[in-house]
Protein backbone atom coordinates (compact mmCIF):
# COMPACT_ATOMS: atom_id res chain seq x y z
CA UNK A 1 0.00 0.00 0.00
CA UNK A 2 2.72 2.38 1.03
CA UNK A 3 4.75 1.27 -1.96
CA UNK A 4 1.95 2.22 -4.34
CA UNK A 5 1.64 5.66 -2.77
CA UNK A 6 5.33 6.17 -3.30
CA UNK A 7 5.03 5.17 -6.95
CA UNK A 8 2.18 7.61 -7.50
CA UNK A 9 4.23 10.30 -5.86
CA UNK A 10 7.27 9.65 -8.01
CA UNK A 11 5.17 9.66 -11.17
CA UNK A 12 3.77 13.00 -10.06
CA UNK A 13 7.27 14.35 -9.50
CA UNK A 14 8.39 13.19 -12.95
CA UNK A 15 5.36 14.83 -14.53
CA UNK A 16 6.08 18.08 -12.77
CA UNK A 17 9.71 18.06 -13.81
CA UNK A 18 8.75 17.26 -17.41
CA UNK A 19 6.20 20.05 -17.40
CA UNK A 20 8.74 22.44 -15.97
CA UNK A 21 11.36 21.47 -18.53
CA UNK A 22 8.86 21.85 -21.33
CA UNK A 23 8.01 25.29 -20.09
CA UNK A 24 11.63 26.16 -19.56
CA UNK A 25 12.68 24.97 -23.02
CA UNK A 26 9.96 27.21 -24.47
CA UNK A 27 11.47 30.16 -22.71
CA UNK A 28 14.87 29.30 -24.13
CA UNK A 29 13.48 28.95 -27.62
CA UNK A 30 11.81 32.32 -27.28
CA UNK A 31 14.94 34.03 -26.14
CA UNK A 32 17.38 32.67 -28.67
CA UNK A 33 15.67 33.83 -31.82
CA UNK A 34 18.05 35.13 -34.43
CA UNK A 35 17.36 38.54 -35.89
CA UNK A 36 20.24 38.70 -38.30
CA UNK A 37 18.96 36.43 -41.03
CA UNK A 38 19.33 38.82 -43.93
CA UNK A 39 18.47 36.64 -46.85
CA UNK A 40 19.61 37.48 -50.35
CA UNK A 41 16.06 37.25 -51.45
CA UNK A 42 14.83 39.49 -48.70
CA UNK A 43 12.18 42.03 -49.27
CA UNK A 44 12.39 42.70 -45.61
CA UNK A 45 14.00 41.91 -42.34
CA UNK A 46 15.54 39.33 -40.13
CA UNK A 47 14.03 36.26 -38.67
CA UNK A 48 11.78 37.04 -35.78
CA UNK A 49 9.16 35.01 -34.14
CA UNK A 50 6.17 34.32 -32.09
CA UNK A 51 4.90 37.13 -30.10
CA UNK A 52 1.30 36.31 -30.39
CA UNK A 53 -0.71 35.34 -27.42
CA UNK A 54 2.21 34.09 -25.52
CA UNK A 55 0.19 32.75 -22.65
CA UNK A 56 -2.05 30.74 -24.89
CA UNK A 57 0.86 29.37 -26.83
CA UNK A 58 2.65 28.19 -23.74
CA UNK A 59 -0.49 26.47 -22.50
CA UNK A 60 -0.84 24.81 -25.87
CA UNK A 61 2.73 23.64 -25.77
CA UNK A 62 2.41 22.60 -22.16
CA UNK A 63 0.07 19.79 -23.10
CA UNK A 64 2.28 18.30 -25.77
CA UNK A 65 5.91 17.61 -25.16
CA UNK A 66 6.79 15.88 -28.41
CA UNK A 67 8.78 18.41 -30.36
CA UNK A 68 10.09 16.74 -33.51
CA UNK A 69 11.48 17.71 -36.86
CA UNK A 70 8.87 16.98 -39.51
CA UNK A 71 8.65 17.22 -43.27
CA UNK A 72 6.85 20.44 -44.28
CA UNK A 73 3.09 20.34 -44.68
CA UNK A 74 3.29 23.51 -46.71
CA UNK A 75 5.92 25.07 -48.99
CA UNK A 76 6.28 28.58 -50.38
CA UNK A 77 7.52 27.69 -53.87
CA UNK A 78 8.22 31.19 -55.28
CA UNK A 79 8.48 33.29 -57.20
CA UNK A 80 11.78 35.04 -56.75
CA UNK A 81 11.54 38.76 -55.85
CA UNK A 82 7.84 38.54 -55.09
CA UNK A 83 8.10 38.84 -51.31
CA UNK A 84 8.61 35.23 -50.24
CA UNK A 85 10.83 36.21 -47.32
CA UNK A 86 8.38 38.84 -46.15
CA UNK A 87 5.52 36.35 -46.25
CA UNK A 88 7.56 33.77 -44.34
CA UNK A 89 8.40 36.34 -41.65
CA UNK A 90 4.80 37.43 -41.34
CA UNK A 91 3.51 33.87 -41.15
CA UNK A 92 6.14 33.16 -38.51
CA UNK A 93 4.12 35.44 -36.22
CA UNK A 94 1.43 32.75 -36.12
CA UNK A 95 1.92 30.45 -33.14
CA UNK A 96 0.95 27.38 -35.13
CA UNK A 97 3.35 27.99 -38.00
CA UNK A 98 7.03 27.19 -37.69
CA UNK A 99 9.12 28.34 -40.65
CA UNK A 100 12.49 26.85 -41.58
CA UNK A 101 15.22 29.43 -41.03
CA UNK A 102 16.90 28.99 -44.37
CA UNK A 103 16.07 28.15 -47.93
CA UNK A 104 16.76 24.42 -48.09
CA UNK A 105 16.87 23.97 -51.88
CA UNK A 106 15.95 20.33 -51.59
CA UNK A 107 13.77 19.87 -54.66
CA UNK A 108 15.74 22.11 -57.04
CA UNK A 109 19.24 20.84 -56.33
CA UNK A 110 19.98 17.25 -57.39
CA UNK A 111 22.76 16.87 -54.84
CA UNK A 112 20.44 17.80 -51.99
CA UNK A 113 17.56 15.76 -53.37
CA UNK A 114 19.71 12.65 -53.59
CA UNK A 115 20.51 13.00 -49.89
CA UNK A 116 16.95 11.93 -49.21
CA UNK A 117 14.02 12.93 -46.98
CA UNK A 118 15.94 12.40 -43.76
CA UNK A 119 18.43 15.05 -44.81
CA UNK A 120 15.58 17.35 -45.76
CA UNK A 121 13.80 16.77 -42.47
CA UNK A 122 16.98 17.49 -40.61
CA UNK A 123 16.86 21.04 -42.00
CA UNK A 124 13.38 21.61 -40.60
CA UNK A 125 12.63 23.30 -37.27
CA UNK A 126 11.33 21.41 -34.26
CA UNK A 127 7.56 21.53 -34.05
CA UNK A 128 4.72 20.35 -31.90
CA UNK A 129 2.22 18.01 -33.55
CA UNK A 130 -0.35 20.79 -33.94
CA UNK A 131 2.09 23.14 -35.68
CA UNK A 132 2.66 23.46 -39.41
CA UNK A 133 6.21 23.21 -40.73
CA UNK A 134 6.76 25.72 -43.53
CA UNK A 135 9.66 25.98 -45.93
CA UNK A 136 10.39 28.41 -48.75
CA UNK A 137 12.75 28.11 -51.69
CA UNK A 138 11.73 30.42 -54.53
CA UNK A 139 13.63 28.46 -57.12
CA UNK A 140 11.21 25.53 -56.84
CA UNK A 141 8.77 27.58 -58.88
CA UNK A 142 10.90 27.47 -62.03
CA UNK A 143 12.54 24.04 -61.53
CA UNK A 144 11.29 21.43 -64.02
CA UNK A 145 11.54 18.51 -61.64
CA UNK A 146 10.22 20.20 -58.50
CA UNK A 147 6.45 19.59 -58.92
CA UNK A 148 6.81 15.84 -59.41
CA UNK A 149 9.33 15.53 -56.60
CA UNK A 150 7.16 17.39 -54.14
CA UNK A 151 4.14 15.39 -55.27
CA UNK A 152 6.00 12.17 -54.56
CA UNK A 153 6.81 13.34 -51.04
CA UNK A 154 3.28 14.43 -50.20
CA UNK A 155 0.60 14.50 -52.89
CA UNK A 156 -1.79 16.47 -50.65
CA UNK A 157 0.71 19.15 -49.57
CA UNK A 158 -0.39 22.80 -49.55
CA UNK A 159 1.60 25.06 -51.83
CA UNK A 160 1.88 28.83 -51.65
CA UNK A 161 3.05 30.94 -54.56
CA UNK A 162 3.50 34.70 -54.65
CA UNK A 163 3.13 36.61 -57.88
CA UNK A 164 3.46 40.28 -58.59
CA UNK A 165 3.36 42.51 -61.62
CA UNK A 166 5.69 40.65 -64.01
CA UNK A 167 7.41 43.81 -65.26
CA UNK A 168 8.05 45.03 -61.70
CA UNK A 169 9.44 41.60 -60.88
CA UNK A 170 11.90 41.76 -63.79
CA UNK A 171 13.11 45.17 -62.63
CA UNK A 172 13.45 44.01 -59.05
CA UNK A 173 15.31 40.90 -60.19
CA UNK A 174 17.66 42.98 -62.32
CA UNK A 175 18.22 45.45 -59.48
CA UNK A 176 19.26 42.73 -57.06
CA UNK A 177 21.69 41.18 -59.53
CA UNK A 178 23.00 44.64 -60.40
CA UNK A 179 23.83 45.50 -56.78
CA UNK A 180 25.31 42.05 -56.15
CA UNK A 181 27.64 42.55 -59.10
CA UNK A 182 28.55 46.06 -57.94
CA UNK A 183 29.40 44.72 -54.49
CA UNK A 184 31.68 42.10 -56.04
CA UNK A 185 33.35 44.66 -58.28
CA UNK A 186 32.04 42.98 -61.43
CA UNK A 187 30.87 44.69 -64.60
CA UNK A 188 27.18 45.45 -64.79
CA UNK A 189 24.86 45.44 -67.75
CA UNK A 190 22.32 48.06 -68.68
CA UNK A 191 18.72 46.94 -68.11
CA UNK A 192 17.78 47.74 -71.70
CA UNK A 193 20.65 45.69 -73.11
CA UNK A 194 19.50 42.59 -71.23
CA UNK A 195 15.79 42.91 -71.71
CA UNK A 196 15.66 43.97 -75.35
CA UNK A 197 17.02 41.81 -78.14
CA UNK A 198 19.15 44.16 -80.27
CA UNK A 199 18.48 42.33 -83.55
CA UNK A 200 14.72 42.14 -83.32
CA UNK A 201 14.17 45.11 -81.02
CA UNK A 202 11.66 42.91 -79.18
CA UNK A 203 11.72 41.57 -75.61
CA UNK A 204 14.59 39.13 -75.11
CA UNK A 205 12.86 35.89 -74.17
CA UNK A 206 16.24 34.31 -73.53
CA UNK A 207 16.78 36.55 -70.49
CA UNK A 208 16.13 34.51 -67.38
CA UNK A 209 14.45 37.33 -65.47
CA UNK A 210 11.92 37.61 -68.29
CA UNK A 211 11.37 33.85 -68.34
CA UNK A 212 10.62 33.73 -64.62
CA UNK A 213 7.92 36.37 -65.06
CA UNK A 214 6.02 34.25 -67.57
CA UNK A 215 4.10 32.79 -64.65
CA UNK A 216 1.62 30.92 -66.85
CA UNK A 217 4.33 28.70 -68.25
CA UNK A 218 5.53 27.65 -64.79
CA UNK A 219 2.17 27.22 -63.11
CA UNK A 220 1.03 24.98 -65.92
CA UNK A 221 3.71 22.51 -64.82
CA UNK A 222 2.58 22.62 -61.19
CA UNK A 223 -1.04 22.08 -62.14
CA UNK A 224 -0.13 18.87 -63.92
CA UNK A 225 0.46 17.38 -60.49
CA UNK A 226 -1.54 19.42 -58.03
CA UNK A 227 -5.18 20.35 -57.82
CA UNK A 228 -5.96 24.04 -58.06
CA UNK A 229 -7.24 24.05 -54.45
CA UNK A 230 -3.81 22.92 -53.28
CA UNK A 231 -2.10 26.02 -54.61
CA UNK A 232 -2.76 29.34 -52.93
CA UNK A 233 -1.73 32.37 -54.96
CA UNK A 234 -0.69 35.42 -52.96
CA UNK A 235 -0.75 38.88 -54.50
CA UNK A 236 2.83 40.01 -53.89
CA UNK A 237 2.03 43.65 -54.66
CA UNK A 238 -0.79 43.71 -52.12
CA UNK A 239 1.40 41.98 -49.57
CA UNK A 240 3.30 45.26 -49.44
CA UNK A 241 0.34 47.64 -49.50
CA UNK A 242 -2.11 45.61 -47.41
CA UNK A 243 -0.23 42.71 -45.77
CA UNK A 244 -2.86 41.66 -43.22
CA UNK A 245 -5.44 40.88 -45.84
CA UNK A 246 -3.06 38.60 -47.74
CA UNK A 247 -1.80 36.93 -44.56
CA UNK A 248 -5.29 36.23 -43.26
CA UNK A 249 -6.10 34.52 -46.55
CA UNK A 250 -3.07 32.27 -46.14
CA UNK A 251 -4.10 31.42 -42.57
CA UNK A 252 -7.46 30.38 -43.95
CA UNK A 253 -5.86 28.32 -46.72
CA UNK A 254 -3.78 26.49 -44.12
CA UNK A 255 -6.88 25.80 -42.06
CA UNK A 256 -5.66 27.93 -39.16
CA UNK A 257 -7.54 30.44 -37.02
CA UNK A 258 -6.71 34.10 -37.62
CA UNK A 259 -3.95 35.04 -35.21
CA UNK A 260 -2.00 37.69 -37.08
CA UNK A 261 -3.78 41.00 -36.53
CA UNK A 262 -3.24 44.77 -36.35
CA UNK A 263 -1.58 44.15 -33.01
CA UNK A 264 1.39 42.56 -34.74
CA UNK A 265 1.42 44.25 -38.10
CA UNK A 266 0.74 47.94 -38.34
CA UNK A 267 1.45 50.81 -40.67
CA UNK A 268 4.15 53.14 -39.41
CA UNK A 269 3.42 56.53 -40.91
CA UNK A 270 6.90 57.89 -40.18
CA UNK A 271 8.52 55.08 -42.08
CA UNK A 272 5.87 54.73 -44.72
CA UNK A 273 6.02 50.95 -44.38
CA UNK A 274 4.17 48.17 -42.66
CA UNK A 275 6.04 47.00 -39.63
CA UNK A 276 5.71 44.08 -37.29
CA UNK A 277 6.09 44.08 -33.57
CA UNK A 278 7.61 41.06 -31.94
CA UNK A 279 8.49 40.06 -28.45
CA UNK A 280 12.19 40.35 -29.07
CA UNK A 281 12.30 43.32 -31.38
CA UNK A 282 10.45 46.57 -30.96
CA UNK A 283 9.73 46.87 -34.65
CA UNK A 284 10.77 45.36 -37.96
CA UNK A 285 9.60 47.00 -41.12
CA UNK A 286 8.88 45.93 -44.65
CA UNK A 287 11.15 47.51 -47.17
CA UNK A 288 13.99 48.32 -44.83
CA UNK A 289 16.67 46.22 -46.48
CA UNK A 290 15.07 46.90 -49.81
CA UNK A 291 16.39 50.45 -49.80
CA UNK A 292 17.95 49.84 -53.20
CA UNK A 293 16.96 52.33 -55.78
CA UNK A 294 15.49 50.86 -58.92
CA UNK A 295 17.30 52.02 -62.04
CA UNK A 296 15.71 54.57 -64.29
CA UNK A 297 14.04 52.78 -67.17
CA UNK A 298 12.71 54.35 -70.32
CA UNK A 299 8.97 54.38 -70.71
CA UNK A 300 9.20 52.67 -74.11
CA UNK A 301 11.01 49.70 -72.59
CA UNK A 302 8.43 49.38 -69.83
CA UNK A 303 5.72 49.54 -72.47
CA UNK A 304 7.40 46.77 -74.43
CA UNK A 305 7.60 44.56 -71.36
CA UNK A 306 3.99 45.19 -70.41
CA UNK A 307 2.85 44.40 -73.95
CA UNK A 308 4.93 41.26 -73.96
CA UNK A 309 3.51 39.95 -70.68
CA UNK A 310 -0.12 40.88 -71.31
CA UNK A 311 -1.15 37.76 -73.31
CA UNK A 312 0.74 35.50 -70.90
CA UNK A 313 -1.03 37.17 -67.99
CA UNK A 314 -4.38 36.61 -69.61
CA UNK A 315 -3.67 32.90 -69.99
CA UNK A 316 -2.53 32.80 -66.38
CA UNK A 317 -5.72 34.44 -65.11
CA UNK A 318 -7.92 31.88 -66.79
CA UNK A 319 -5.63 29.01 -65.75
CA UNK A 320 -5.86 29.90 -62.06
CA UNK A 321 -9.27 31.58 -62.22
CA UNK A 322 -7.88 34.59 -60.41
CA UNK A 323 -7.06 38.05 -61.73
CA UNK A 324 -4.52 40.69 -60.84
CA UNK A 325 -4.43 44.37 -61.56
CA UNK A 326 -1.23 44.36 -63.60
CA UNK A 327 -2.04 46.82 -66.35
C1 LIG B 1 0.69 16.15 -46.38
O1 LIG B 1 0.19 17.48 -46.41
C2 LIG B 1 -1.06 17.64 -45.81
C3 LIG B 1 -1.51 19.08 -46.04
O2 LIG B 1 -0.67 19.98 -45.38
C4 LIG B 1 -0.99 17.27 -44.35
O3 LIG B 1 -2.25 17.39 -43.74
C5 LIG B 1 -0.45 15.86 -44.19
O4 LIG B 1 -0.24 15.58 -42.84
C6 LIG B 1 0.85 15.70 -44.95
N1 LIG B 1 1.28 14.32 -44.91
C7 LIG B 1 2.45 13.95 -44.42
C8 LIG B 1 2.74 12.48 -44.45
O5 LIG B 1 3.26 14.75 -43.98
C1 LIG C 1 7.64 54.31 -36.33
O1 LIG C 1 9.01 54.28 -36.66
C2 LIG C 1 9.77 55.27 -36.00
C3 LIG C 1 11.16 55.22 -36.60
O2 LIG C 1 11.73 53.96 -36.51
C4 LIG C 1 9.75 55.01 -34.52
O3 LIG C 1 10.50 55.98 -33.84
C5 LIG C 1 8.30 55.04 -34.03
O4 LIG C 1 8.23 54.69 -32.67
C6 LIG C 1 7.44 54.08 -34.84
N1 LIG C 1 6.04 54.27 -34.51
C7 LIG C 1 5.28 53.32 -33.98
C8 LIG C 1 3.86 53.66 -33.77
O5 LIG C 1 5.73 52.22 -33.69
Amino acid sequence: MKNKGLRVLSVAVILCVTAFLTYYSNVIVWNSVSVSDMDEDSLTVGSVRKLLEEGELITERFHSNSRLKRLPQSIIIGARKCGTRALLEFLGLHPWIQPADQEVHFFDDDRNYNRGYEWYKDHMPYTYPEQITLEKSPRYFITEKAPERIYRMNSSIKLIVLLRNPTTRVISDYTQVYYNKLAKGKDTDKFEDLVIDKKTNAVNTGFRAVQISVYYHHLLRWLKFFKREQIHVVDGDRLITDPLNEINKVEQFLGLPTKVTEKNIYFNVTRGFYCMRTQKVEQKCLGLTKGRKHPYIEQSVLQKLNDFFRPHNKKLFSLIDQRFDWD
Side-chain angles (χ1 to χ4, degrees), residues 16-28:
C16 281
V17 169
T18 313
F20 174 76
L21 284 179
T22 311
Y23 176 82
Y24 189 62
S25 70
N26 278 328
V27 174
I28 291 175

Side-chain angles (χ1 to χ4, degrees), residues 60-277:
E60 272 168 27
R61 290 184 172 187
F62 202 74
H63 292 299
S64 68
N65 52 10
S66 47
R67 285 178 90 231
L68 290 174
K69 291 184 174 187
R70 300 163 216 271
L71 290 172
Q73 293 94 356
S74 180
I75 302 177
I76 299 175
I77 57 172
R80 183 181 144 78
K81 303 312 293 173
C82 288
T84 56
R85 169 60 58 180
L87 182 66
L88 194 77
E89 299 278 352
F90 283 143
L91 290 175
L93 292 168
H94 199 294
W96 300 0
I97 298 175
Q98 195 68 59
D101 280 333
Q102 281 164 351
E103 293 180 6
V104 185
H105 291 289
F106 181 64
F107 298 105
D108 60 313
D109 184 327
D110 288 349
R111 271 174 317 168
N112 291 340
Y113 187 67
N114 291 330
R115 289 172 171 141
Y117 294 147
E118 283 305 311
W119 180 90
Y120 186 40
K121 198 156 75 179
D122 207 41
H123 285 74
M124 294 300 137
Y126 283 99
T127 54
Y128 290 95
E130 48 279 293
Q131 285 184 310
I132 290 177
T133 302
L134 180 67
E135 194 239 325
K136 78 115 179 166
S137 295
R139 207 182 298 152
Y140 293 162
F141 183 61
I142 56 162
T143 302
E144 292 280 336
K145 291 174 182 167
E148 185 174 3
R149 285 175 171 178
I150 293 180
Y151 183 83
R152 260 190 256 147
M153 181 188 74
N154 183 348
S155 61
S156 53
I157 199 161
K158 294 183 177 180
L159 302 173
I160 299 168
V161 61
L162 292 99
L163 304 178
R164 66 192 294 202
N165 181 312
T167 301
T168 316
R169 204 213 65 78
V170 173
I171 297 169
S172 180
D173 200 324
Y174 166 83
T175 306
Q176 180 176 344
V177 173
Y178 176 87
Y179 280 101
N180 283 347
K181 283 186 170 176
L182 267 195
K184 289 179 188 157
K186 291 189 191 166
D187 289 340
T188 53
D189 301 290
K190 270 185 71 185
F191 183 76
E192 282 79 356
D193 294 346
L194 294 171
V195 163
I196 305 296
D197 185 332
K198 278 233 169 59
K199 280 185 217 129
T200 61
N201 205 27
V203 168
N204 177 10
T205 52
F207 183 38
R208 193 176 148 95
V210 169
Q211 292 170 348
I212 296 174
S213 280
V214 183
Y215 306 132
Y216 169 77
H217 171 77
H218 302 289
L219 268 174
L220 202 54
R221 261 187 298 110
W222 289 91
L223 286 167
K224 285 206 176 97
F225 290 92
F226 298 99
K227 293 191 280 265
R228 175 65 187 89
E229 312 89 79
Q230 273 176 275
I231 306 178
H232 179 70
V233 185
V234 174
D235 185 330
D237 296 305
R238 287 200 68 187
L239 186 69
I240 298 167
T241 57
D242 183 15
L244 265 185
N245 188 46
E246 290 302 314
I247 291 156
N248 294 154
K249 280 192 275 189
V250 177
E251 290 173 319
Q252 203 167 41
F253 170 68
L254 295 175
L256 299 177
T258 302
K259 299 264 177 175
V260 183
T261 66
E262 294 86 356
K263 271 192 271 177
N264 325 102
I265 297 179
Y266 62 98
F267 192 77
N268 185 319
V269 185
T270 329
R271 297 214 157 170
F273 288 122
Y274 275 94
C275 300
M276 52 183 159
R277 238 189 282 277

